[in-house]
Amino acid sequence: MPRKARDKMLPYARQLIGEDDIAAVVEVLRSDFLTTGPVVDRFEKAVADYVGTRYAVAVSNGTAALHAAMYAAGIGPGDEVITTPLTFAATANSVLYRGGTPVFADIDPETWNIASEDLEKKLTPRTKAVVPVHFTGRPCAMEDIRQFAKKHHLVVIEDAAHALGAVYRGKKAGSLGDMAAFSFHAVKHITTGEGGMVTTSDRRLYERLLLFRNHGITRKPGRWSRQEGPWYYEMQDLGFNYRLTDIQCALGLSQLARIEQFLRRREEIVQRYDQALCALSSVGLPKVLPDGRCAWHLYVIRLGGEIQRGEVFNALRARNIGVNVHYLPVYLHPYYLHLDPDRYYQGLCPEAERYYEEAVTLPLYPGMTDDDVDDVTAALGSVLAGCAGSAAVL
Ligand SMILES: *Cc1c(COP(=O)(O)O)cnc(C)c1O
């Protein structure tokens, strides 16, 4: 039965705001503090508790979280940081902000996460850190990554922007390295509008993160180099204003209370997609995870055979299905290609480039109805059936 066409674009991601969220924000608006007040602390403690780390530092967005983590890790000019090209540009950009050099290791063709085997190949005496990205919410092979990092004295910074709630061998993403960066952008698992968080269990890193978030300024007398008086504060390093507001943290706290509900709904939608799409022989589905929980930030399919990704993408958009592509390998952005053509060039990470040619992100967010999901799979089925080179059976 052909389904009725959608008259409005189904987005690929969308926030889910409830009356509790609105009430929590309004409460802060009526209170004494709008910016750095008590709700920031409460949100930080709640995220640290949820993730299973000792500390969490709220910052203005996920990019600031990565930048702060690079600072805390001591990344500076001449230092190399190994990461995946299959991520949002901010992951690698945060290394450049510190004057360091992002080094891209290829992805594993099965999990689409950074390939453990490629890490040693990218190691040089200048390597200081490794940044695994739990792509789509699927935890990286952290055991391999941690062993590699330990052997070569590297800092491990998880980019956990896709992975709030993901679990690897009994531990949550965000507690699997020395530090982790989260984003609370509206498309992520929970939102504060814009917002981010760094989690860590290391006291020294925690102190550095606090300094960096607030201009490099400390108000703690015990940390000053000299005593001037009670009015004094001391700028000890060049930091930023990366603070998150109480207004945003109230929204974050309220959202975090519903994280399990959000994750479950994402899992249900994924099951519905899997069931409907497994019959399409030209569609590669995301792999299930043997030793953990995927947080399902994104549902990505890969189109096999002779199917042109662009053709399918355009046909789905024409049917108001808000598909997307995550991601162009970061080093293929013109900025990177121009920055250092000897280091960043087409062909650098063949698996990531092959993935990019075939990938389509389908809509996935907790507010999606089963009917929305069925619209997507029906549209995809009929688009593929009409595709040259498609062996789709319906
Ligand atoms: C969203 C995202 C970021 C950046 O977060 P912002 O809050 O948008 O700055 C970084 N890395 C990944 C993998 C992301 O998905």
Side-chain angles (χ1 to χ4, degrees):
M1 260 278 259
R3 296 175 66 85
K4 203 170 143 285
R6 296 188 68 93
D7 50 14
K8 198 167 158 252
M9 183 69 77
L10 182 73
Y12 91 92
R14 193 185 195 284
Q15 70 279 10
L16 188 57
I17 300 293
E19 287 306 317
D20 284 2
D21 296 324
I22 294 165
V25 171
V26 169
E27 196 182 321
V28 169
L29 288 174
R30 295 189 200 282
S31 78
D32 292 339
F33 297 95
L34 296 186
T35 54
T36 307
V39 191
V40 177
D41 284 340
R42 280 169 54 205
F43 185 41
E44 288 176 340
K45 285 204 176 67
V47 170
D49 280 352
Y50 179 72
V51 165
T53 54
R54 243 178 247 149
Y55 312 105
V57 176
V59 290
S60 42
N61 54 64
T63 306
L66 287 161
H67 189 190
M70 291 300 154
Y71 166 81
I75 301 305
D79 294 339
E80 293 180 2
V81 176
I82 303 176
T83 190
T84 171
L86 197 54
T87 184
F88 185 54
T91 315
N93 294 352
S94 66
V95 180
L96 294 178
Y97 296 160
R98 297 295 308 159
T101 303
V103 173
F104 295 100
D106 208 349
I107 59 162
D108 179 295
E110 292 290 304
T111 65
W112 310 338
N113 278 329
I114 196 165
S116 307
E117 314 80 64
D118 217 29
L119 293 175
E120 293 277 355
K121 291 186 205 146
K122 301 295 163 116
L123 188 79
T124 80
R126 290 178 299 279
T127 310
K128 290 282 156 53
V130 54
V131 185
V133 179
H134 307 302
F135 181 65
T136 74
R138 182 182 293 105
C140 293
M142 291 307 295
E143 196 56 51
D144 295 348
I145 292 166
R146 271 205 303 248
Q147 270 176 26
F148 168 75
K150 196 169 171 201
K151 188 167 150 199
H152 303 289
H153 310 286
L154 312 178
V155 180
V156 178
I157 302 165
E158 303 169 73
D159 182 334
H162 294 188
L164 186 67
V167 178
Y168 174 82
R169 299 191 183 173
K171 290 181 74 184
K172 287 230 176 64
S175 70
L176 304 168
D178 298 292
M179 282 177 281
F182 287 95
S183 164
F184 308 126
H185 182 271
V187 300
K188 303 291 162 65
H189 291 82
I190 65 167
T191 190
T192 58
E194 298 277 357
M197 191 79 79
V198 188
T199 52
T200 184
S201 287
D202 183 308
R203 178 91 209 171
R204 192 189 62 87
L205 293 174
Y206 172 63
E207 298 284 352
R208 284 178 65 80
L209 293 166
L210 290 179
L211 203 67
F212 192 70
R213 171 177 71 178
N214 193 32
H215 310 277
I217 286 172
T218 180
R219 291 178 182 274
K220 293 180 183 163
R223 303 201 154 262
W224 294 343
S225 62
R226 59 178 196 269
Q227 304 297 322
E228 298 256 335
W231 59 85
Y232 186 62
Y233 57 82
E234 195 169 281
M235 183 186 142
Q236 299 180 330
D237 209 342
L238 188 61
F240 286 75
N241 175 356
Y242 273 166
R243 297 184 303 262
L244 193 63
T245 65
D246 257 38
I247 305 168
Q248 291 167 298
C249 289
L251 180 54
L253 252 180
S254 169
Q255 288 259 300
L256 188 63
R258 282 187 295 154
I259 181 69
E260 189 53 37
Q261 180 195 323
F262 290 164
L263 290 166
R264 289 243 177 85
R265 181 61 193 148
R266 285 176 181 276
E267 283 164 349
E268 279 170 17
I269 293 167
V270 165
Q271 270 176 16
R272 201 170 179 90
Y273 271 143
D274 282 347
Q275 268 164 17
L277 300 179
C278 65
L280 300 176
S281 59
S282 52
V283 171
L285 301 183
K287 293 283 176 305
V288 276
L289 203 67
D291 55 359
R293 181 186 200 185
C294 181
W296 292 113
H297 167 56
L298 303 173
Y299 188 88
V300 176
I301 58 168
R302 280 178 77 162
L303 301 172
E306 302 295 302
I307 302 173
Q308 293 299 310
R309 191 266 313 275
E311 211 178 296
V312 174
F313 184 96
N314 291 334
L316 288 169
R317 278 282 178 96
R319 287 162 199 243
N320 279 338
I321 306 297
V323 283
N324 222 312
V325 173
H326 298 89
Y327 296 95
L328 174 74
V330 172
Y331 60 82
L332 291 180
H333 282 289
Y335 180 80
Y336 278 86
L337 293 172
H338 293 145
L339 188 66
D340 186 348
D342 293 330
R343 185 180 282 283
Y344 308 120
Y345 51 85
Q346 184 94 38
L348 177 62
C349 296
E351 290 295 346
E353 291 179 22
R354 200 158 66 88
Y355 162 94
Y356 167 68
E357 295 298 330
E358 301 174 351
V360 177
T361 305
L362 303 185
L364 172 59
Y365 53 93
M368 252 179 116
T369 64
D370 286 353
D371 224 40
D372 293 333
V373 178
D374 296 347
D375 278 347
V376 177
T377 54
L380 182 64
S382 75
V383 165
L384 287 177
C387 248
S390 164
V393 239
L394 287 167

